[in-house]
Amino acid sequence: MLKQKNTKDEYIEAVKETQELVSNYIIENFEGIKTIEWNGWSTPKGGGPFAINSSMTVNDYEDEDNGKVQLSYIVGHEYIEAYTDACLLVSPSLEDIEDADLMQKEFRHQGVKKSTVGSPNAKIKYN
């Protein structure tokens, strides 16, 4: 029983650290961010002894088909910056393709862009 509690505490700490790392990266490197809402975490089946996913919604973004769009992170993953950039920025090669990167195009329309100014007034809601 104690081992289960310790494992759960380790999961919670790992999720917290990852959520803070991602949130800080976004707030420090992107302007136009108003809200980051973390939507929980899960341990996928077959993902190994310490596989954890956590997801968030940025600026309450929704699409017509799926509702709120969640960006999913693997806890402790080393590619936080590259994944976040790919999720929030329109790829120049897809700029003129109508249905490509709709979420990224909407973020650009909202004024989200990579910037040293960041978004110091963004509100973060942790789960």
Side-chain angles (χ1 to χ4, degrees), residues 2-89:
L2 182 60
K3 185 176 179 181
Q4 283 181 326
K5 182 185 179 334
N6 288 342
T7 299
K8 184 175 181 183
D9 290 345
E10 289 174 6
Y11 280 1
I12 290 169
E13 188 60 32
V15 168
K16 180 180 174 185
E17 286 177 19
T18 299
Q19 289 179 351
E20 288 175 356
L21 281 171
V22 172
S23 298
N24 288 339
Y25 177 74
I26 292 172
I27 287 173
E28 292 171 4
N29 293 283
F30 288 88
E31 68 180 84
I33 301 295
K34 296 174 187 79
T35 60
I36 297 171
E37 181 177 355
W38 287 96
N39 303 311
W41 59 278
S42 64
T43 53
K45 293 186 189 247
F50 206 68
I52 312 169
N53 294 329
S54 188
S55 64
M56 69 172 182
T57 305
V58 175
N59 289 356
D60 294 320
Y61 177 75
E62 295 186 16
D63 70 27
E64 293 176 15
D65 297 327
N66 302 312
K68 280 195 175 183
V69 174
Q70 299 183 38
L71 309 180
S72 295
Y73 288 84
I74 298 170
V75 171
H77 200 272
E78 62 202 59
Y79 300 107
I80 288 174
E81 294 177 16
Y83 174 74
T84 302
D85 290 355
C87 289
L88 298 180
L89 301 172

